[in-house]
Amino acid sequence: MSNKKSIVVFGGSFNPPHNSHFSTAQQVLNQYEEVEKVVFIPVNKKYEKDGLEENIHRYNMLKLVIEKNNNFILSDIDMNGSRSLYTIETLEEIKKQFPDKEIWFLIGSDNLKELHTWKRAEELVSKYKILVMERNEDKIEEIIEQNELLKCYRENIRKIEEGIRSNFSSTYIRSEIKKQKSVRYLMPDEVYEYIKTNNLYIE
């Protein structure tokens, strides 16, 4: 692994952002001395996903937490265009912003299974490091072995050691809010108060 500092790209819908998102990012910073910053990149509202809250709300919720951590960066690069960027395009933009840094891309093992179908997949796994968090009962080594592209570039795929195996999700939070259940301790207080103030996810 290169000794130069690295930037980890953490993309997602963050709909809403919750404790698992931030604890995962902090764990990456703790485990890898070469990682300098984690960049959170919320997807565009035009991304094809049901129930996606407006860009401004998801951005604001992240900002409330990220602005208090010097090792976290919030980027709106995917929110500015007429469509949601492909992952490879996002990574290229981040590389332009940090030309002297190595760019890592953080995903869950569920996404690793589909990575070979993504736009310019070979370029993605050959040019960038893929940092993977195991989910459910997934085993990263087995996923790699079952895919020829991943096998070719296995040296670029790293598992988060001592990874958080969390099935906790934004979907669950939205469901609980609709049922008028409390989600107070599932997310930072700032996000919880923002959701209440703006009456998000109640319909």
Side-chain angles (χ1 to χ4, degrees):
M1 173 57 61
S2 168
N3 289 325
K4 69 179 179 179
K5 292 292 186 178
S6 302
I7 301 293
V8 171
V9 172
F10 188 3
S13 55
F14 301 110
N15 188 42
H18 53 70
N19 288 337
S20 287
H21 293 135
F22 301 112
S23 61
T24 297
Q26 187 59 55
Q27 178 180 306
V28 168
L29 287 161
N30 291 349
Q31 284 191 16
Y32 302 101
E33 291 184 5
E34 61 268 50
V35 174
E36 186 176 316
K37 306 279 186 183
V38 175
V39 182
F40 290 74
I41 303 181
V43 299
N44 197 312
K45 179 74 163 69
K46 296 178 175 65
Y47 182 75
E48 295 180 6
K49 193 166 188 177
D50 291 337
L52 197 55
E53 189 51 78
E54 295 297 330
N55 287 347
I56 188 64
H57 288 311
R58 290 179 294 112
Y59 183 87
N60 285 343
M61 286 187 281
L62 284 166
K63 186 173 184 289
L64 288 169
V65 178
I66 288 172
E67 65 185 4
K68 296 180 180 180
N69 189 319
N70 291 332
N71 295 315
F72 291 169
I73 298 173
L74 176 57
S75 172
D76 62 357
I77 60 172
D78 194 31
M79 292 182 159
N80 291 329
S82 59
R83 64 171 175 82
S84 190
L85 296 174
Y86 291 111
T87 296
I88 187 69
E89 295 172 326
T90 298
L91 297 178
E92 287 172 341
E93 287 301 313
I94 294 298
K95 183 64 177 176
K96 289 176 186 175
Q97 295 177 24
F98 300 95
D100 60 334
K101 309 295 184 186
E102 186 170 64
I103 307 300
W104 299 8
F105 179 52
L106 176 63
I107 59 173
S109 53
D110 51 336
N111 284 322
L112 184 65
K113 296 174 184 175
E114 306 297 326
L115 199 60
H116 65 284
T117 67
W118 291 13
K119 188 82 167 181
R120 294 159 59 194
E122 184 164 9
E123 195 175 346
L124 201 163
V125 296
S126 64
K127 286 187 174 180
Y128 303 96
K129 294 288 187 290
I130 311 297
L131 191 59
V132 187
M133 180 173 61
E134 287 182 328
R135 290 201 171 129
N136 301 314
E137 300 304 314
D138 287 344
K139 289 183 171 49
I140 289 171
E141 295 81 3
E142 292 179 2
I143 296 172
I144 292 173
E145 279 302 313
Q146 292 168 5
N147 185 274
E148 289 303 317
L149 178 63
L150 300 182
K151 281 167 68 174
C152 287
Y153 297 99
R154 64 165 63 241
E155 71 278 4
N156 283 351
I157 303 170
R158 302 183 67 176
K159 178 174 77 171
I160 298 179
E161 300 301 333
E162 305 165 12
I164 304 171
R165 281 180 168 270
S166 175
N167 299 325
F168 181 63
S169 71
S170 296
T171 303
Y172 171 76
I173 290 174
R174 295 194 304 274
S175 172
E176 293 300 284
I177 292 173
K178 285 178 183 177
K179 291 186 284 188
Q180 299 184 325
K181 305 288 187 180
S182 175
V183 293
R184 179 165 195 168
Y185 302 108
L186 305 181
M187 61 189 65
D189 288 343
E190 301 91 334
V191 175
Y192 174 72
E193 293 299 335
Y194 187 94
I195 289 173
K196 277 181 45 180
T197 300
N198 292 278
N199 294 315
L200 303 183
Y201 306 115
I202 57 176
E203 294 181 0

